[in-house]
């Protein structure tokens, strides 16, 4: 690491990242090249190393939050990481790849492509027109297993997304609990939502279920990554009342042969409008969520 400072400072750098910090002390520039293991992989965790390095200190930390907290850098400072750089955050390759795929979908998909992909083929124009009059493509979702929720928030903000949350998960948390027999103290699942600040058309976003699992060999994380059970597209029903939700559900089940796959209500999301309700459906091409504001009764 190279530190160019007018006086001695203590600097924490993100393990596994090359970045320039912005803000803080005038003239501060930190360039960090990750330490490598014998097999060439970057060191992305563990304790801190401190040694004198020129006019400053050489410190290897574990997160950008550590850098802000311990180096007296303002909370609105940001790390600039190249989009294509390997290891530009503390997320593992698997989780980082999942987030990148969500970004690709948000930038390249529309309602028709979402419905046709889940349905596994072409959709009758009349069915599509009925869906389009009552739904919009709202978000694409996945489940990740970082060390901390803040790691996901930091990465999405670096990628220039407007981040909302985290808020507690209810539906996915309960499903994970049932599938894996989790203890009450071991089911802290959060939802982080993000929407691009650069969007010129309809606002679409990412929904990231975050279940911190610091152990690299965690069996829950391994099983869920294999199954991709919580990956889905979501349509927001714009007119759920007066039979609107029932009509959309009928289109999915009767016309597109999708199979109902549960649902629920989360009072923590959009608490000012009665929370958020969801219904899930599966088909040959994947999983689809219908979502609307309010309780399930608001869609009756």
């Amino acid at each position: 690491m190279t530190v160019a400072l007018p006086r001695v400072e203590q600097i924490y750098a993100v393990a596994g990242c090359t970045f320039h910090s912005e803000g803080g002390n005038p003239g501060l520039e930190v360039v960090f090249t990750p330490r490598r293991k014998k097999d060439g992989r970057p060191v992305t965790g563990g304790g801190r190393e401190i040694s004198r390095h020129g006019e400053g200190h050489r410190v290897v930390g574990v997160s950008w939050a550590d850098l802000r907290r311990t180096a007296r850098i303002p909370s609105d400072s940001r790390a600039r990481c190249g989009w294509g750089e390997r290891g530009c955050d503390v997320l593992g390759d698997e989780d980082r790849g999942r987030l990148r795929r969500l970004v690709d979908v948000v930038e390249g998909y529309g309602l028709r492509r979402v419905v046709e992909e889940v349905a596994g083929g072409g959709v009758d124009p009349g069915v599509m027109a009925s869906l389009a009059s009552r739904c919009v493509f709202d978000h694409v979702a996945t489940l990740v297993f970082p060390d901390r929720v803040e790691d996901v928030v930091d990465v999405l903000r670096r990628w220039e997304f407007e981040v909302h949350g985290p808020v507690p998960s209810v539906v996915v948390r309960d499903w994970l609990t049932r599938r894996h027999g989790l203890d009450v103290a071991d089911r802290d699942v959060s939802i982080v939502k993000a929407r691009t600040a650069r969007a010129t058309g309809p606002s679409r976003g990412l929904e990231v279920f975050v279940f911190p699992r610091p152990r690299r060999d965690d069996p829950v994380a391994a099983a869920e990554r294999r199954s991709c059970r919580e990956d889905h597209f979501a349509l927001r029903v714009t007119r759920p009342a007066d039979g609107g939700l029932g009509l959309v559900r009928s289109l999915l089940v009767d016309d597109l042969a999708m199979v109902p796959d549960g649902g629920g209500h989360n009072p923590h999301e959009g608490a000012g409008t009665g929370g958020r309700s969801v219904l899930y459906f599966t088909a040959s091409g994947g999983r689809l969520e219908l979502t609307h504001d309010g309780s399930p009764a608001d869609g009756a």
Side-chain angles (χ1 to χ4, degrees):
M1 183 179 73
T2 303
V3 181
L5 298 174
R7 58 185 180 277
V8 174
E9 294 283 353
Q10 181 171 311
I11 303 299
Y12 281 70
V14 181
C17 178
T18 299
F19 69 90
H20 296 274
S21 65
E22 299 177 294
N25 299 300
L28 171 63
E29 181 178 47
V30 179
V31 179
F32 173 68
T33 301
R35 293 179 294 127
R36 298 279 172 176
K37 299 179 182 180
K38 290 182 179 179
D39 61 4
R41 292 181 298 160
V43 177
T44 58
R48 300 183 178 96
E49 281 185 2
I50 303 177
S51 62
R52 290 301 296 264
H53 183 88
E55 295 180 311
H57 287 77
R58 180 181 184 278
V59 181
V60 177
V62 296
S63 72
W64 172 243
D66 284 343
L67 179 74
R68 289 202 302 250
R69 183 169 54 248
T70 60
R72 299 188 296 282
I73 293 178
S75 60
D76 60 353
S77 297
R78 290 288 180 267
R80 288 198 305 246
C81 289
W83 179 269
E85 291 182 35
R86 175 181 172 83
C88 76
D89 50 66
V90 296
L91 295 180
D93 289 345
E94 179 87 15
D95 288 343
R96 189 166 55 250
R98 286 175 180 270
L99 295 185
R100 290 280 298 276
R101 285 192 291 274
L102 296 194
V103 173
D104 291 342
V105 169
V106 164
E107 292 181 345
Y109 279 51
L111 177 65
R112 173 178 291 277
R113 186 172 179 183
V114 165
V115 175
E116 290 183 341
E117 182 160 322
V118 176
V123 175
D124 179 82
V127 172
M128 185 60 69
S130 294
L131 287 173
S133 69
R134 295 169 176 82
C135 299
V136 294
F137 172 31
D138 188 72
H139 65 262
V140 59
T142 195
L143 171 64
V144 297
F145 303 90
D147 290 351
R148 307 173 315 139
V149 177
E150 291 80 3
D151 296 338
V152 173
V153 172
D154 284 349
V155 167
L156 292 174
R157 283 178 175 161
R158 285 182 217 150
W159 291 356
E160 300 182 356
F161 280 86
E162 295 178 356
V163 181
H164 306 275
V167 298
S169 167
V170 173
V171 178
V172 170
R173 177 204 64 193
D174 290 346
W175 283 344
L176 289 170
T177 299
R178 288 196 293 269
R179 284 202 293 268
H180 301 284
L182 301 176
D183 294 332
V184 173
D186 186 29
R187 55 177 195 171
D188 187 13
V189 183
S190 300
I191 302 171
V192 173
K193 291 196 172 185
R195 294 190 180 271
T196 176
R198 305 182 301 273
T200 57
S203 178
R204 302 160 184 159
L206 318 180
E207 181 177 65
V208 186
F209 297 98
V210 186
F211 192 14
R213 313 298 288 181
R215 281 181 49 194
R216 295 294 177 255
D217 59 346
D218 183 83
V220 174
E224 292 296 325
R225 282 170 173 152
R226 285 194 301 270
S227 70
C228 299
R229 182 71 176 78
E230 300 306 332
D231 288 5
H232 64 263
F233 298 100
L235 307 184
R236 179 169 56 86
V237 182
T238 54
R239 294 183 291 162
D242 299 325
L245 179 63
L247 177 58
V248 173
R249 183 185 182 282
S250 177
L251 290 169
L252 298 183
V253 174
D254 298 335
D255 293 273
L256 299 179
M258 295 189 186
V259 179
D261 191 34
H265 176 252
N266 188 341
H268 305 291
E269 289 190 80
T273 57
R276 178 64 63 90
S277 296
V278 294
L279 293 173
Y280 290 95
F281 302 83
T282 60
S284 60
R287 198 157 175 256
L288 185 70
E289 172 191 291
L290 289 184
T291 182
H292 65 87
D293 293 334
S295 70
D298 294 321

